[in-house]
Amino acid sequence: MCGIIGYTGSNCVKDILLDALSLLEYRGYDSAGIAVNEEEKKKTEIFKCAGRVSDLKAICDTKQITATCGIGHTRWATHGGVNDGNAHPHQQGKVTLVHNGIIENYRELIADYDLQDVLRSETDSEVVAALLNHFYQGNPGEAIRKTVSKLKGTFAFVILFEDQPGVIYSIRNVSPIVATICKEGAMLASDLTALCRFTNEYFVVPEYHILELHKDCILLTDLQGQKVEPQMLSVDWELNSAGKNGYPFYMEKEMMEQPDAIRRTIEGRIMNGLPDFTGDGVPDELFTNCERICVVACGTAMHAGLVAQALVKSMVHVPMEVELASEFMYSDPVIDEKTLVIAVSQSGETIDTLEALRYAKRQGAKCLSIINVKGSSIARESDYVLYTSAGPEIAVASTKAYTTQLSVFHLVVAKMAMLRGAYTEKQAKAFVQELQRVPEVLETILEQRKDIHVIAKKILEAKDLFMIGRGLDYSILLEGSLKLKEVSYIHSEAYASGELKHGPIALITRNTPVVAAVTQEKIMSKELSNIKEVKSRGADIVLFIKKALAGDLHQEYQLIELPDMQDVFMVFPTSVALQLLAYYVSSDKGFDVDKPRNLAKVVTVE
Ligand code: F6R
């Protein structure tokens, strides 16, 4: 969480920082600020405010800023409310910094170094600025080393020292920082989105290493002062794939990109009609040697795991659990060297998932991750990685990352089923063939989006909404319900239809909107009985139904007919239809769809 940018070079820094902050705003949008190093004035000036980057831009536009070195921050509040004073950067004496992460022992530091009287904000970050200033005697490296040795918690700091003009310092623990040097100068950021408009080459700053950005060079040293060569990586994202491409919101653009994103993700992993992970370096033994599987993930990524769990149970017959990463290691899970742990994450930086992965590795488990952002922390720390090729996902609500995760899981399940003898080669081929149809099927549902918009208009005023389904439909509705609540602020809950009568049906009153999914033929009749039960209590029902199952149900219910696929693939069109529903409700209500309140795209605090 929190977006960070730093630049030193020959160009005017103001526009570079503000443009980058707009791109990074999805990481946090409570407040924004920049600090610029005015070499001639020999001082560091700060401009910051509570609110959006556009508010900061309005402030900066009234100032004459000519500096060519500076740092910027967009905040997701953790310690201290949302106000101008708590906005970053923070300045103490000669030190100005921005921070992403949480310093857990900030109270002890205030007491131990008697900092109470100098602090002007309620943030843990300013305490570190004060501590750095306390240790600073003209040698930045020494002050940084002494300071970080006192810190407990996670951090990415980007620091300016007033008497070191044109130089930016950085150090991190867990929270990410990537850096690069290109013809415009040297720069760093909390993530690649801010850098890829300048270059495709970058490196991930290793933990507990001091990074120095000079106008024409980058210096990386370990805490003993030894020079370290940065390990350069390259990214294949293009600038235009990080823009809105004419759509009003990133969420819409990203939903529309799903067919291509899935094509890119599965192609290259299918050889002679069968799943093949040779190009990813994932050996078959990973899938044959394990006795159980455990998925660790959060939010939408965890919901992708639930779909995989249903598939693995029915197709491969291997025990599989899906754990909320934030709960995982505190629940003493049974994990050993016979467990295959699969971490799923769009960003690859979610700290709960990263910590769960580290825990699993300590227990001897083999770890595979399904990740969208190349070179991210979880990817780096996993034994094996299967990247999704969704491209940059900017909207806070995840869409294309989810469906590409599902597509990877479908390949993994087919591979496992075949390797473990549950599927013949012929069955696996037929399964893969159906997966290859997914992109064109999604194109059909995306073309049908006007019909879903009509349904969305009917629920704009709803306070509560329920989603009901069985089996795979229930797993998809959990995600559909999360999507709706996070972008539309309608209270939405998904229930397994059979559970309704055990309590939740008490919530159904006249005109309560209920979205029911019916895509699984073998449980359809049971599902329809449950739908009748809520209809009898006056609920206003919309069925998202597989076309082949619709029959004459339109006489009784409002229907959204979903293009036909084999049942286990219906997760794809159903998910996209539910994403569209959430999107239209939010945009019709006039909300900032891409930046729902209180949320951030990358969650790097526990
Ligand atoms: C919801 C959403 C979140 C993320 C969750 C995990 O739309 O995006 O629930 O899925 O925060 O994030 P990643 O996948 O980056 O680990």
Side-chain angles (χ1 to χ4, degrees):
M1 338 196 91
C2 298
I4 288 183
I5 177 76
Y7 167 80
T8 181
S10 49
N11 294 4
C12 171
V13 76
K14 181 183 97 174
D15 295 336
I16 291 182
L17 296 184
L18 291 172
D19 289 349
L21 289 182
S22 314
L23 291 170
L24 292 171
E25 206 173 17
Y26 66 95
R27 296 180 66 100
Y29 30 87
D30 294 333
S31 57
I34 60 169
V36 298
N37 202 265
E38 293 284 2
E39 285 181 46
E40 279 166 22
K41 294 187 203 157
K42 292 236 177 327
K43 67 184 240 227
T44 306
E45 278 194 285
I46 293 180
F47 308 95
K48 61 181 185 176
C49 62
R52 297 284 170 95
V53 174
S54 54
D55 301 310
L56 174 67
K57 192 166 179 321
I59 295 174
C60 294
D61 282 347
T62 64
K63 313 279 176 198
Q64 182 75 10
I65 302 172
T66 54
T68 59
C69 171
I71 60 180
H73 188 266
T74 164
R75 178 172 187 240
W76 188 83
T78 58
H79 290 53
V82 178
N83 57 42
D84 292 356
N86 289 333
H88 295 217
H90 292 285
Q91 193 165 52
Q92 285 286 334
K94 290 199 163 97
V95 175
T96 304
L97 63 68
V98 295
H99 169 216
N100 174 23
I102 289 182
I103 303 304
E104 288 163 11
N105 61 335
Y106 75 103
R107 280 203 194 82
E108 292 88 315
L109 295 172
I110 296 174
D112 292 353
Y113 292 90
D114 208 11
L115 301 174
Q116 190 56 59
D117 292 343
V118 300
L119 297 173
R120 289 168 301 219
S121 76
E122 303 152 293
T123 64
D124 51 340
S125 315
E126 195 194 9
V127 175
V128 180
L131 196 59
L132 270 165
N133 190 50
H134 168 88
F135 287 126
Y136 186 55
Q137 308 285 341
N139 181 337
E142 190 182 298
I144 292 171
R145 273 191 291 278
K146 284 186 178 159
T147 301
V148 296
S149 72
K150 307 291 176 203
L151 304 183
K152 290 203 183 101
T154 58
F155 50 81
F157 292 114
V158 178
I159 313 157
L160 295 174
F161 293 88
E162 199 158 86
D163 52 358
Q164 310 285 335
V167 191
I168 297 172
Y169 293 84
S170 180
I171 188 156
R172 74 176 196 99
N173 174 37
V174 182
S175 307
I177 288 282
V178 288
T180 192
I181 185 147
C182 58
K183 69 177 181 347
E184 286 82 2
M187 55 189 92
L188 58 73
S190 47
D191 68 72
L192 279 176
T193 321
L195 302 188
C196 59
R197 45 201 283 270
F198 294 98
T199 173
N200 288 344
E201 305 284 309
Y202 70 101
F203 65 95
V204 179
V205 178
E207 289 177 353
Y208 286 104
H209 281 60
I210 298 175
L211 176 73
E212 279 178 42
L213 298 189
H214 297 259
K215 288 184 190 302
D216 53 2
C217 69
I218 280 182
L219 192 64
L220 185 65
T221 49
D222 63 18
L223 286 182
Q224 286 69 48
Q226 293 300 312
K227 204 169 161 222
V228 174
E229 221 32 67
Q231 297 208 338
M232 296 309 288
L233 300 166
S234 63
V235 63
D236 46 17
W237 292 351
E238 288 164 20
L239 173 57
N240 69 358
S241 62
K244 280 190 210 151
N245 255 3
Y247 289 99
F249 291 103
Y250 281 108
M251 185 175 172
E252 185 173 350
K253 177 200 167 225
E254 290 163 6
M255 288 188 301
M256 300 303 288
E257 284 173 347
Q258 293 180 98
D260 283 342
I262 292 175
R263 270 187 202 104
R264 280 197 305 270
T265 300
I266 62 175
E267 76 186 8
R269 292 188 173 126
I270 299 172
M271 281 307 156
N272 303 323
L274 291 169
D276 186 294
F277 300 119
T278 321
D280 302 286
V282 176
D284 289 355
E285 298 75 57
L286 190 70
F287 302 119
T288 47
N289 286 352
C290 62
E291 284 175 3
R292 41 198 291 278
I293 304 170
C294 178
V295 168
V296 289
C298 300
T300 294
M302 190 275 292
H303 290 154
L306 290 177
V307 170
Q309 182 187 37
L311 299 185
V312 166
K313 279 187 177 168
S314 65
M315 289 170 51
V316 195
H317 316 298
V318 173
M320 173 161 172
E321 284 115 52
V322 178
E323 302 273 356
L324 290 170
S326 55
E327 293 288 318
F328 178 66
M329 61 190 182
Y330 305 105
S331 61
D332 294 326
V334 184
I335 298 289
D336 55 28
E337 57 285 350
K338 291 281 177 202
T339 314
L340 169 61
V341 169
I342 307 184
V344 190
S345 174
Q346 186 285 128
S347 60
E349 299 296 345
T350 302
I351 194 161
D352 290 319
T353 310
L354 179 60
E355 292 297 349
L357 175 97
R358 287 175 174 169
Y359 177 91
K361 283 186 81 174
R362 286 198 296 274
Q363 308 303 308
K366 278 272 168 280
C367 295
L368 168 73
S369 61
I370 299 176
I371 304 287
N372 194 40
V373 178
K374 288 204 180 132
S376 53
S377 305
I378 299 175
R380 291 196 312 275
E381 295 195 26
S382 301
D383 297 311
Y384 305 98
V385 188
L386 293 172
Y387 283 109
T388 49
S389 302
E393 193 180 63
I394 308 290
V396 166
S398 186
T399 54
K400 59 178 180 169
Y402 174 68
T403 46
T404 51
Q405 286 158 0
L406 291 183
S407 68
V408 171
F409 267 131
H410 275 70
L411 283 176
V412 166
V413 171
K415 179 91 186 167
M416 278 189 111
M418 202 179 70
L419 289 173
R420 299 178 77 112
Y423 256 30
T424 60
E425 198 175 295
K426 195 168 162 213
Q427 283 172 308
K429 274 193 174 162
F431 187 90
V432 168
Q433 219 169 16
E434 186 70 348
L435 181 64
Q436 287 172 306
R437 275 187 63 225
V438 168
E440 72 185 56
V441 168
L442 293 194
E443 273 153 11
T444 317
I445 187 81
L446 289 164
E447 274 160 24
Q448 225 182 302
R449 61 189 185 281
K450 281 203 183 76
D451 302 342
I452 296 170
H453 199 165
V454 172
I455 306 287
K457 284 193 188 300
K458 295 191 175 168
I459 58 172
L460 294 185
E461 300 309 320
K463 295 246 165 330
D464 306 288
L465 179 147
F466 300 99
M467 297 198 179
I468 60 171
R470 283 175 172 252
L472 271 177
D473 286 338
Y474 170 54
S475 311
I476 303 159
L477 290 170
L478 286 168
E479 170 57 13
S481 175
L482 172 66
K483 215 84 309 174
L484 184 69
K485 75 179 91 162
E486 71 180 321
V487 298
S488 77
Y489 315 141
I490 292 174
H491 168 235
S492 164
E493 295 297 337
Y495 291 108
S497 310
E499 269 300 292
L500 286 174
K501 54 191 174 295
H502 300 289
I505 202 163
L507 296 168
I508 303 290
T509 53
R510 205 151 189 79
N511 300 329
T512 306
V514 172
V515 170
V518 185
T519 72
Q520 305 295 305
E521 194 169 358
K522 70 171 188 245
I523 41 178
M524 176 181 171
S525 59
K526 296 259 182 291
E527 173 61 18
L528 287 177
S529 306
N530 298 141
I531 293 169
K532 267 269 191 285
E533 288 155 16
V534 289
K535 186 172 181 344
S536 316
R537 275 129 189 120
D540 202 355
I541 297 164
V542 186
L543 293 194
F544 283 62
I545 189 160
K546 173 167 158 170
K547 198 166 179 193
L549 304 180
D552 58 4
L553 283 167
H554 62 274
Q555 292 175 3
E556 216 177 328
Y557 298 104
Q558 183 156 20
L559 304 187
I560 291 288
E561 290 188 11
L562 302 165
D564 292 323
M565 299 203 78
Q566 288 166 22
D567 285 6
V568 292
F569 294 90
M570 285 307 296
V571 291
F572 291 96
T574 317
S575 311
V576 173
L578 292 168
Q579 293 166 358
L580 287 163
L581 182 72
Y583 172 75
Y584 284 124
V585 175
S586 177
S587 59
D588 282 7
K589 285 173 112 176
F591 295 149
D592 185 347
V593 183
D594 291 335
K595 299 189 186 91
R597 70 181 175 220
N598 303 337
L599 297 179
K601 183 73 183 163
V602 186
V603 183
T604 52
V605 292
E606 275 185 87

